[in-house]
């Protein structure tokens, strides 16, 4: 019985499917009865390839993720995964996708991100205060425009009551840094608060003979 699905979304156009084989994520998933999904979003050719259109989760990529999770649930004989909460980890464009996806799909997950180009400064009130908590990471040595964009979006929504957190890794640039390690700590708290524990397996009943 699965309690949730960890979704791993790497940076711009990177194939993240192999991340499900990473011992770090496998151990965390095994310990918490979670499935793992590694994503590979590829942008279609367009005028400014420095801006990933697939990060606009509402334009089809978000539904593609939900469809993939549903297919995985069927293929692995774990139907509960299709409706399970999603725990989202992402880097750079992957974090941008996670952020916009969470505006569409409030749940018990967390969107982790280092970059936000198309800022949605005022998501709907229901999405700000939904159970889906978010933690944003900034690399202290990242480019100024990235740092300021994330600081701005978090600050304005904290004032409006969002259950969001901002963490700064002073010596990191735009690389993932220690976001995985901090993410699993955050996920563990979310799991403990919001995801029901898997009941222990029941011992088989002793056979009975009827006269």
């Amino acid at each position: 019985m699965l309690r949730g699905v960890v979704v791993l979304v790497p940076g711009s156009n990177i194939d993240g499917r192999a991340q499900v084989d990473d011992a770090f994520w496998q151990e965390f998933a095994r310990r918490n009865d979670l499935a793992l999904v590694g994503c590979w979003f590829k942008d279609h050719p367009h005028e400014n390839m420095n801006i990933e259109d697939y990060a606009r989760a509402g334009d089809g990529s978000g539904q593609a993720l939900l469809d993939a999770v549903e297919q995985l649930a069927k293929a692995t004989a774990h139907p509960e995964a299709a409706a399970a909460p999603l725990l989202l980890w992402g880097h750079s464009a992957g974090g941008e996708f996670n952020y916009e996806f969470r505006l569409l799909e409030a749940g018990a997950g967390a969107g982790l991100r280092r970059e936000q180009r198309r800022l949605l400064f005022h998501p709907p009130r229901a999405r700000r205060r939904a159970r889906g908590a978010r933690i944003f990471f900034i690399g202290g040595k990242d480019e100024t425009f990235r740092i300021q964009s994330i600081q701005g979006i978090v600050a304005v929504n904290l004032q409006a009551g969002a259950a969001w957190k901002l963490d700064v890794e002073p010596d990191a640039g735009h690389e993932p840094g220690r976001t995985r390690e901090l993410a699993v700590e955050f996920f563990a708290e979310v799991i403990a608060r919001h995801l029901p524990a898997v009941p222990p397996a029941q011992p088989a009943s002793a056979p009975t003979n009827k006269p």
Side-chain angles (χ1 to χ4, degrees), residues 34-118:
L34 304 169
L36 290 173
V37 171
C39 297
W40 185 15
F41 289 111
K42 292 182 68 175
D43 229 350
H44 57 79
H46 60 279
E47 184 176 352
N48 188 353
M49 293 298 289
N50 289 322
I51 296 179
E52 297 81 2
D53 278 353
Y54 68 76
R56 295 179 179 134
D59 289 348
S61 54
Q63 187 60 51
L65 171 59
L66 295 175
D67 291 345
V69 171
E70 184 175 356
Q71 292 171 13
L72 176 67
K74 293 178 181 178
T76 59
H78 277 283
E80 72 276 13
L86 303 182
L87 301 163
L88 302 169
W89 176 90
H91 170 247
S92 192
E96 183 176 355
F97 167 83
N98 289 349
Y99 174 74
E100 299 202 14
F101 180 83
R102 273 299 173 211
L103 298 184
L104 305 171
E105 294 291 322
L112 304 173
R113 59 191 309 282
R114 280 202 194 278
E115 184 172 0
Q116 176 64 30
R117 293 196 182 98
R118 290 178 295 275

Side-chain angles (χ1 to χ4, degrees), residues 3-9 19 24-37 85-91 94-95 98-99 101-102 107-113 131-137 163 165 178-196:
R3 303 169 73 188
V5 180
V6 176
V7 179
L8 308 173
V9 193
Q19 291 184 359
F24 176 88
W25 288 115
Q26 286 197 354
E27 193 278 333
F28 175 70
R30 189 178 299 111
R31 189 171 70 245
N32 292 282
D33 298 303
L34 304 169
L36 290 173
V37 171
L86 303 182
L87 301 163
L88 302 169
W89 176 90
H91 170 247
N98 289 349
Y99 174 74
F101 180 83
R102 273 299 173 211
L112 304 173
R113 59 191 309 282
R131 192 176 63 173
R134 298 162 177 82
I135 183 169
F136 296 74
F137 290 113
K165 177 176 175 58
R178 295 187 61 253
T179 60
R180 295 191 319 169
E181 290 77 9
L182 294 171
V184 298
E185 292 182 17
F186 182 73
F187 286 158
E189 183 176 344
V190 172
I191 291 168
R193 290 188 180 188
H194 299 299
L195 302 189

Side-chain angles (χ1 to χ4, degrees), residues 117-197:
R117 293 196 182 98
R118 290 178 295 275
L119 295 182
L120 299 176
F121 271 92
H122 295 285
R125 181 178 181 182
R127 296 304 186 197
R128 280 199 307 267
R129 297 188 177 182
R131 192 176 63 173
R134 298 162 177 82
I135 183 169
F136 296 74
F137 290 113
I138 293 176
K141 296 181 179 179
D142 205 342
E143 295 188 52
T144 301
F145 81 92
R146 291 190 178 116
I147 293 174
Q148 292 179 344
S149 66
I150 296 176
Q151 288 175 330
I153 195 171
V154 172
V156 73
N157 285 285
L158 285 176
Q159 292 178 357
W164 297 0
K165 177 176 175 58
L166 176 64
D167 189 272
V168 179
E169 193 171 348
D171 296 327
H174 194 58
E175 69 277 6
R178 295 187 61 253
T179 60
R180 295 191 319 169
E181 290 77 9
L182 294 171
V184 298
E185 292 182 17
F186 182 73
F187 286 158
E189 183 176 344
V190 172
I191 291 168
R193 290 188 180 188
H194 299 299
L195 302 189

Side-chain angles (χ1 to χ4, degrees), residues 14-27:
I14 295 175
D15 185 351
R17 293 174 294 179
Q19 291 184 359
V20 301
D21 297 323
D22 189 314
F24 176 88
W25 288 115
Q26 286 197 354
E27 193 278 333

